[in-house]
Amino acid sequence: SVIDGDSFKIANDQTIRLASLDAPGTEYCFGKESAAVLNKKILGKKVIISDIKTDRYGRVMAMVYVNGISVNEYMIKNGFALHLWDTSTLKKELSAANDFARENRLGIFSPECYQTEPPNPKCAIKGSIIQTTKKKEYTMPTCDRYALTVIEKYKGEDWFCSEAEAKKAGFVKSPNCK
């Protein structure tokens, strides 16, 4: 059974997570589509699981193949997942797949999920999540580095119409704002 766009359970109820990538949660931009594609790619099919490792959380991570095709690479290349730093044997292929999806603005890199301009000009406060710390920060148009901040909705980032709205969603003012 498929859990989301990067995790599934095999017959013995063991959860397998696709290695070297991160798909959006089903509640985020392109998350449902990602899960649906993984479902279509693997459900009811014979999958080959290789390069099995566990991550720091104890999760089983693997490269997954169906009919000799890398599911990991397919998910990344078509914009259903983001390539993460890795040391796998497919590192170059997965990195190239990520570049392809980004350059062609596919899936999570589409204007729907990857935004530099607010869909509503009256709601221009950027709510971003710092990857290393998971800290939620908001940046207003008058703040330093505002133009460099991209809203990646597939990660749970979003736009806000007021500081109060950003704070209510759990974001704090960025230190780049004086």
Coordinates of all heavy atoms in Angstrom, one line a residue, residues 135-175:
K135 N 12.6 25.8 11.5 CA 12.0 27.0 12.0 C 11.2 27.8 11.0 O 11.6 27.9 9.8 CB 13.1 28.0 12.5 CG 12.6 29.2 13.2 CD 13.8 30.1 13.7 CE 13.2 31.3 14.4 NZ 14.3 32.2 14.8
K136 N 10.0 28.2 11.3 CA 9.1 28.9 10.4 C 9.3 30.4 10.6 O 9.2 30.9 11.7 CB 7.6 28.6 10.7 CG 7.3 27.2 10.5 CD 5.8 27.0 10.9 CE 5.2 25.6 10.4 NZ 3.8 25.6 10.7
E137 N 9.7 31.1 9.5 CA 9.9 32.5 9.5 C 9.1 33.2 8.5 O 8.9 32.7 7.4 CB 11.4 32.8 9.3 CG 12.3 32.4 10.4 CD 13.8 32.7 10.1 OE1 14.1 33.2 9.0 OE2 14.6 32.5 11.0
Y138 N 8.7 34.5 8.8 CA 8.0 35.2 7.7 C 8.9 36.4 7.4 O 9.6 37.0 8.2 CB 6.6 35.7 8.1 CG 6.5 36.6 9.3 CD1 6.5 38.0 9.1 CD2 6.3 36.2 10.6 CE1 6.4 38.9 10.1 CE2 6.1 37.1 11.6 CZ 6.2 38.4 11.4 OH 6.1 39.3 12.4
T139 N 8.8 36.8 6.1 CA 9.6 37.9 5.6 C 8.7 38.9 4.9 O 7.9 38.5 4.0 CB 10.7 37.4 4.6 OG1 11.4 36.4 5.3 CG2 11.6 38.5 4.2
M140 N 8.7 40.1 5.3 CA 7.9 41.2 4.6 C 8.6 41.8 3.5 O 9.9 41.7 3.4 CB 7.5 42.2 5.7 CG 6.7 41.6 6.8 SD 6.2 42.8 8.1 CE 7.7 43.3 8.7
P141 N 7.9 42.4 2.5 CA 8.5 43.0 1.4 C 9.6 44.1 1.7 O 10.5 44.3 0.9 CB 7.4 43.7 0.6 CG 6.2 42.9 1.0 CD 6.4 42.5 2.5
T142 N 9.6 44.7 2.9 CA 10.6 45.7 3.3 C 11.8 45.1 3.9 O 12.8 45.8 4.2 CB 9.9 46.7 4.3 OG1 9.4 45.9 5.4 CG2 8.8 47.5 3.7
C143 N 11.9 43.8 4.1 CA 13.0 43.1 4.7 C 14.1 42.8 3.8 O 13.9 42.6 2.6 CB 12.5 41.8 5.3 SG 11.2 41.9 6.6
D144 N 15.3 42.8 4.3 CA 16.5 42.3 3.6 C 16.2 40.9 3.1 O 15.6 40.1 3.8 CB 17.8 42.4 4.4 CG 18.2 43.8 4.7 OD1 17.8 44.7 4.0 OD2 19.1 43.9 5.6
R145 N 16.7 40.6 1.9 CA 16.7 39.2 1.3 C 15.3 38.8 0.9 O 15.1 37.6 0.6 CB 17.3 38.2 2.3 CG 18.8 38.6 2.6 CD 19.5 37.6 3.5 NE 19.6 36.3 2.9 CZ 20.4 35.8 2.0 NH1 21.3 36.7 1.5 NH2 20.4 34.6 1.5
Y146 N 14.3 39.7 1.0 CA 13.0 39.4 0.5 C 12.9 38.8 -0.9 O 12.3 37.8 -1.1 CB 12.0 40.6 0.6 CG 10.6 40.3 0.2 CD1 9.7 39.8 1.0 CD2 10.2 40.6 -1.1 CE1 8.4 39.5 0.6 CE2 8.9 40.3 -1.5 CZ 8.0 39.8 -0.7 OH 6.7 39.5 -1.1
A147 N 13.6 39.5 -1.8 CA 13.6 39.0 -3.2 C 14.2 37.7 -3.4 O 13.9 37.0 -4.4 CB 14.3 40.1 -4.1
L148 N 15.1 37.3 -2.5 CA 15.8 36.0 -2.6 C 15.0 34.8 -2.0 O 15.3 33.6 -2.2 CB 17.1 36.0 -1.9 CG 18.1 37.0 -2.4 CD1 19.4 37.1 -1.5 CD2 18.5 36.8 -3.9
T149 N 13.9 35.1 -1.3 CA 13.1 34.1 -0.6 C 12.1 33.6 -1.6 O 11.3 34.3 -2.2 CB 12.4 34.7 0.6 OG1 13.3 35.2 1.5 CG2 11.6 33.6 1.3
V150 N 12.1 32.3 -1.8 CA 11.1 31.6 -2.7 C 10.2 30.8 -1.8 O 10.6 30.2 -0.8 CB 11.9 30.6 -3.6 CG1 10.9 29.7 -4.4 CG2 12.9 31.3 -4.5
I151 N 8.9 30.8 -2.2 CA 7.9 30.1 -1.4 C 7.7 28.7 -2.1 O 7.3 28.7 -3.2 CB 6.5 30.9 -1.4 CG1 6.7 32.2 -0.6 CG2 5.4 30.0 -0.7 CD1 7.3 32.0 0.8
E152 N 8.1 27.7 -1.3 CA 8.0 26.3 -1.8 C 6.8 25.7 -1.2 O 6.9 25.1 -0.1 CB 9.3 25.6 -1.6 CG 10.5 26.2 -2.3 CD 11.8 25.7 -1.9 OE1 12.2 25.8 -0.7 OE2 12.5 25.2 -2.8
K153 N 5.6 25.8 -1.8 CA 4.4 25.4 -1.2 C 4.4 23.9 -0.9 O 3.7 23.4 -0.1 CB 3.2 25.8 -2.0 CG 3.1 27.4 -2.1 CD 1.8 27.8 -2.7 CE 0.8 27.7 -1.7 NZ -0.3 28.7 -1.8
Y154 N 5.2 23.1 -1.7 CA 5.2 21.7 -1.5 C 5.9 21.3 -0.2 O 5.8 20.2 0.3 CB 5.9 21.0 -2.7 CG 7.3 21.4 -2.9 CD1 8.4 20.7 -2.3 CD2 7.6 22.5 -3.7 CE1 9.7 21.1 -2.5 CE2 8.9 22.9 -3.9 CZ 10.0 22.2 -3.3 OH 11.3 22.6 -3.5
K155 N 6.6 22.3 0.5 CA 7.2 22.1 1.8 C 6.4 22.6 2.9 O 6.8 22.5 4.1 CB 8.6 22.7 1.8 CG 9.6 22.1 0.9 CD 10.9 22.9 1.0 CE 12.0 22.3 0.1 NZ 13.2 23.1 0.2
G156 N 5.2 23.2 2.6 CA 4.4 23.8 3.6 C 4.6 25.3 3.8 O 4.0 25.9 4.7
E157 N 5.3 25.9 2.9 CA 5.5 27.3 3.0 C 4.3 28.0 2.4 O 3.6 27.4 1.6 CB 6.8 27.7 2.3 CG 8.0 27.1 2.9 CD 9.3 27.4 2.2 OE1 9.3 27.9 1.1 OE2 10.4 27.2 2.9
D158 N 4.1 29.3 2.7 CA 2.9 30.0 2.2 C 3.0 31.5 2.2 O 4.0 32.0 2.8 CB 1.7 29.5 2.9 CG 0.4 29.5 2.1 OD1 0.4 30.0 1.0 OD2 -0.6 28.9 2.5
W159 N 2.1 32.1 1.7 CA 1.9 33.6 1.7 C 0.9 34.0 2.7 O 0.0 33.3 3.0 CB 1.4 34.1 0.3 CG 2.3 33.7 -0.8 CD1 2.2 32.6 -1.6 CD2 3.4 34.5 -1.3 NE1 3.3 32.7 -2.6 CE2 4.0 33.8 -2.4 CE3 4.0 35.7 -0.9 CZ2 5.1 34.3 -3.1 CZ3 5.1 36.2 -1.6 CH2 5.6 35.5 -2.7
F160 N 1.2 35.2 3.3 CA 0.3 35.7 4.3 C -0.1 37.2 4.0 O 0.7 37.9 3.4 CB 0.9 35.7 5.7 CG 1.2 34.2 6.1 CD1 2.5 33.8 6.1 CD2 0.2 33.4 6.5 CE1 2.8 32.5 6.4 CE2 0.4 32.1 6.8 CZ 1.7 31.6 6.8
C161 N -1.3 37.6 4.4 CA -1.8 38.9 4.2 C -1.4 39.9 5.3 O -1.4 41.1 5.1 CB -3.3 38.9 4.0 SG -3.8 37.9 2.6
S162 N -1.1 39.4 6.4 CA -0.7 40.2 7.6 C 0.3 39.5 8.5 O 0.3 38.3 8.5 CB -2.0 40.6 8.4 OG -2.5 39.5 9.0
E163 N 1.0 40.3 9.3 CA 1.9 39.7 10.3 C 1.1 38.8 11.3 O 1.5 37.7 11.7 CB 2.6 40.8 11.1 CG 3.8 41.4 10.3 CD 4.6 42.3 11.1 OE1 5.5 41.7 11.9 OE2 4.4 43.5 11.0
A164 N -0.1 39.3 11.7 CA -0.9 38.5 12.6 C -1.3 37.1 12.0 O -1.3 36.1 12.7 CB -2.2 39.3 12.9
E165 N -1.6 37.1 10.7 CA -1.9 35.8 10.1 C -0.7 34.9 10.1 O -0.8 33.7 10.3 CB -2.4 36.1 8.6 CG -2.9 34.9 7.9 CD -3.3 35.2 6.4 OE1 -3.0 36.3 5.9 OE2 -3.8 34.2 5.8
A166 N 0.5 35.4 9.8 CA 1.7 34.6 9.8 C 2.0 34.1 11.2 O 2.3 32.9 11.4 CB 2.9 35.5 9.3
K167 N 1.8 34.9 12.2 CA 2.1 34.5 13.6 C 1.1 33.4 14.0 O 1.4 32.5 14.7 CB 2.0 35.7 14.5 CG 3.2 36.7 14.4 CD 3.0 37.9 15.3 CE 4.1 38.9 15.1 NZ 4.0 40.1 15.8
K168 N -0.2 33.6 13.6 CA -1.2 32.6 13.9 C -0.9 31.3 13.4 O -1.2 30.2 13.9 CB -2.6 33.1 13.4 CG -3.7 32.2 13.8 CD -5.0 32.7 13.4 CE -6.2 31.8 13.8 NZ -7.5 32.3 13.3
A169 N -0.2 31.2 12.2 CA 0.2 30.0 11.5 C 1.5 29.4 12.1 O 2.0 28.4 11.6 CB 0.3 30.2 10.0
G170 N 2.1 30.1 13.1 CA 3.3 29.6 13.8 C 4.6 30.1 13.2 O 5.7 29.6 13.5
F171 N 4.5 31.2 12.4 CA 5.8 31.8 11.9 C 6.2 33.0 12.8 O 5.4 33.7 13.4 CB 5.5 32.3 10.5 CG 5.3 31.2 9.5 CD1 4.1 30.4 9.4 CD2 6.3 30.8 8.6 CE1 4.0 29.4 8.5 CE2 6.2 29.8 7.7 CZ 5.0 29.1 7.6
V172 N 7.5 33.2 12.8 CA 8.1 34.3 13.6 C 8.8 35.2 12.6 O 9.2 34.7 11.5 CB 9.0 33.8 14.7 CG1 8.3 33.0 15.7 CG2 10.2 33.1 14.1
K173 N 8.9 36.5 13.0 CA 9.6 37.4 12.1 C 11.0 37.0 11.8 O 11.8 36.7 12.7 CB 9.5 38.8 12.7 CG 10.0 39.9 11.7 CD 10.0 41.3 12.4 CE 8.8 42.0 11.9 NZ 8.8 43.4 12.4
S174 N 11.4 37.1 10.5 CA 12.8 36.7 10.1 C 13.8 37.7 10.8 O 13.5 38.9 10.9 CB 12.9 36.8 8.6 OG 14.3 36.7 8.2
P175 N 15.0 37.3 11.1 CA 16.0 38.2 11.6 C 16.5 39.1 10.5 O 17.1 40.1 10.9 CB 17.1 37.3 12.1 CG 16.8 35.9 11.6 CD 15.4 35.9 11.2

